[in-house]
Amino acid sequence: MSAQADELTVGDMFRAVEPRAFVIAFVGHCVQNPGRLDKVGSAAEALGYADTPEPFRTMLSPQDGKAPYQSWFVVEGEGSPFLLGISAAPLNGRIYQICAVSNPFMDADSALEEMTTFVELGSAISDETLAGQRARVWLTPSILEGAFITSNDIGGMGYEGVTLALAAPKQY
């Protein structure tokens, strides 16, 4: 058996991440810093996270191509590997800051089950599936007034993978 056969692929590494570790990464980066993308970006820089390579950067970017966006490919630490992204967008006359983590092989329901250990989600205020993509939204005023958590997955297409995001009014 060759040494190459024993090496894990990036996909294998994503698949090996436990849902609890992935959620801890989300909580640590996003939930604990609502509306403070300056802190998320500073932590990513201080920890030496790598910029997200193409084509992942474009694939994970906001629909609005003009929206400010930055992302990293996190390969060390709790929940890694995962993709971390930050963006901002206007909503109801305010600037909202969005912090998201993504694992293209994580089961969404398993991640959300673990999420309830750390965050009170309550009932989803929106749960829609369109073209196989499911988007769920929960208001989370206990984190910050006006904040909400979203989960996006493609389980309806028969695939795993989830992006968890926290959107909150800008706090600085």
Side-chain angles (χ1 to χ4, degrees):
M1 188 172 265
S2 73
Q4 284 184 334
D6 293 337
E7 291 181 26
L8 293 176
T9 67
V10 173
D12 292 336
M13 290 185 277
F14 273 112
R15 286 179 187 93
V17 175
E18 292 294 326
R20 182 174 182 81
F22 177 70
V23 169
I24 288 171
F26 171 66
V27 169
H29 285 289
C30 301
V31 175
Q32 293 179 350
N33 296 298
R36 292 297 309 262
L37 296 187
D38 57 332
K39 288 186 172 199
V40 177
S42 291
E45 185 177 317
L47 294 169
Y49 293 166
D51 287 336
T52 303
E54 287 295 350
F56 294 105
R57 180 175 165 68
T58 299
M59 181 178 78
L60 296 169
S61 66
Q63 289 298 101
D64 178 356
K66 295 178 184 171
Y69 169 66
Q70 195 169 0
S71 68
W72 300 270
F73 182 46
V74 182
V75 296
E76 294 180 319
E78 189 80 42
S80 66
F82 61 90
L83 299 162
L84 171 65
I86 57 176
S87 186
L91 179 65
N92 297 328
R94 298 177 77 178
I95 296 297
Y96 268 67
Q97 295 196 329
I98 300 100
C99 176
V101 297
S102 185
N103 180 319
F105 298 102
M106 177 70 54
D107 175 67
D109 290 332
S110 296
L112 291 171
E113 186 176 318
E114 289 294 337
M115 177 80 76
T116 62
T117 304
F118 302 99
V119 178
E120 185 179 328
L121 291 178
S123 298
I125 61 164
S126 177
D127 186 345
E128 298 179 353
T129 301
L130 179 63
Q133 180 173 331
R134 185 176 186 186
R136 293 176 266 189
V137 179
W138 297 267
L139 293 178
T140 54
S142 62
I143 294 170
L144 181 70
E145 191 61 42
F148 57 93
I149 286 178
T150 64
S151 169
N152 289 285
D153 67 78
I154 54 174
M157 293 172 35
Y159 295 100
E160 293 185 328
V162 65
T163 297
L164 300 175
L166 174 78
K170 183 176 179 179
Q171 296 298 300
Y172 57 100

